[in-house]
Amino acid sequence: MINDIIELEKECKKCEKCKLSKTRTNVVFGVGNPEADVMFIGEGPGENEDLQGEPFVGRGGQLLDKMLKAVDLDRKKNIYIANIVKCRPPKNRDPEPGEQEECIQWLRNQVKLINPKIIVCLGRISAAKLIKPDIKITKEHGIFFEKGNFLMMATLHPAALLRNPNNKPAAFDDFIKLREKMEELGLKL
């Protein structure tokens, strides 16, 4: 266990534990305020993220930023964003279970150091890995689960919302519920 977020990122960027390290451009460690009360966790970087080395910077990331802004959240100010796997799966496929297992230690260390009060899983892969394996994302998004010392909620992945814009209002309701939960708990914005 590494006890400093900057040192953890340096070590993570050297990782070659799985085959994803062979095809990556950049390790996409995470971004945001390391003292945030809310942490968003996606499944893995896409093409834009791999090129820029930052999570959620493509079209899905732009949508995520708009939804965050609408509830006074900002990746540079009061949240932290990371992924289950830190390297892009080829052709943006889902990260394989073995790849997730090899990489999860980095995320666990990040979560321990950031120590958020609320974790928001962006999409089915993240929610199944972190909340419960049989989660039904279309039915159970926006619901808070207590797990260990954390409140956890799943929401629809921004890329899925771009493919199916009819789900945007339901996903935005999740962000409103998140904001309400933050206010209820007295968390800083």
Side-chain angles (χ1 to χ4, degrees), residues 129-165:
K129 184 71 177 172
L130 301 176
I131 297 175
K132 62 180 191 167
D134 62 344
I135 195 160
K136 303 286 183 251
I137 192 85
T138 53
K139 291 185 173 65
E140 295 179 281
H141 67 89
I143 297 170
F144 284 93
F145 297 84
E146 280 190 52
K147 226 174 152 205
N149 297 326
F150 308 106
L151 278 177
M152 301 183 89
M153 177 183 78
T155 191
L156 302 165
H157 195 285
L161 298 175
L162 292 173
R163 290 190 299 274
N164 191 347

Side-chain angles (χ1 to χ4, degrees), residues 5-21:
I5 197 85
I6 294 165
E7 190 60 35
L8 181 66
E9 183 172 3
K10 280 184 200 170
E11 289 303 309
C12 182
K13 287 184 175 182
K14 298 177 197 171
C15 183
E16 294 183 354
K17 289 184 179 181
C18 80
K19 62 188 175 197
L20 295 181
S21 67

Side-chain angles (χ1 to χ4, degrees), residues 6 21 35 59 68 82 96 104-105 111 116 140 153-154 180:
I6 294 165
S21 67
E35 297 179 10
R59 287 179 55 233
L68 290 167
E96 295 170 355
I104 198 75
Q105 69 172 15
V111 170
E140 295 179 281
M153 177 183 78
E180 289 169 351

Side-chain angles (χ1 to χ4, degrees), residues 8-76:
L8 181 66
E9 183 172 3
K10 280 184 200 170
E11 289 303 309
C12 182
K13 287 184 175 182
K14 298 177 197 171
C15 183
E16 294 183 354
K17 289 184 179 181
C18 80
K19 62 188 175 197
L20 295 181
S21 67
K22 311 266 184 283
T23 56
R24 71 180 179 225
T25 303
N26 285 296
V27 170
V28 182
F29 181 73
V31 69
N33 181 346
E35 297 179 10
D37 286 328
V38 178
M39 186 170 180
F40 285 77
I41 302 173
E43 62 188 53
E47 182 179 17
N48 290 311
E49 292 75 13
D50 181 46
L51 292 172
Q52 296 181 45
E54 185 173 319
F56 291 92
V57 292
R59 287 179 55 233
Q62 292 166 10
L63 176 59
L64 176 62
D65 286 344
K66 285 179 187 173
M67 295 171 79
L68 290 167
K69 185 177 181 183
V71 294
D72 297 320
L73 296 175
D74 184 298
R75 68 172 66 211
K76 292 179 175 59

Side-chain angles (χ1 to χ4, degrees), residues 68-173:
L68 290 167
K69 185 177 181 183
V71 294
D72 297 320
L73 296 175
D74 184 298
R75 68 172 66 211
K76 292 179 175 59
K77 194 171 84 177
N78 53 12
I79 64 165
Y80 193 92
I81 305 174
N83 283 303
I84 299 279
V85 298
K86 309 302 185 192
C87 299
R88 177 187 180 209
K91 299 183 178 144
N92 293 352
R93 66 162 167 72
D94 291 347
E96 295 170 355
E99 294 162 350
Q100 293 179 46
E101 280 307 308
E102 288 293 342
C103 211
I104 198 75
Q105 69 172 15
W106 299 113
L107 180 64
R108 286 186 181 127
N109 204 154
Q110 277 177 302
V111 170
K112 185 168 177 54
L113 292 173
I114 293 163
N115 195 26
K117 308 295 181 276
I118 299 173
I119 294 174
V120 179
C121 294
L122 294 163
R124 174 186 55 83
I125 302 284
S126 173
K129 184 71 177 172
L130 301 176
I131 297 175
K132 62 180 191 167
D134 62 344
I135 195 160
K136 303 286 183 251
I137 192 85
T138 53
K139 291 185 173 65
E140 295 179 281
H141 67 89
I143 297 170
F144 284 93
F145 297 84
E146 280 190 52
K147 226 174 152 205
N149 297 326
F150 308 106
L151 278 177
M152 301 183 89
M153 177 183 78
T155 191
L156 302 165
H157 195 285
L161 298 175
L162 292 173
R163 290 190 299 274
N164 191 347
N166 294 340
N167 288 334
K168 283 182 184 178
F172 186 66
D173 282 347

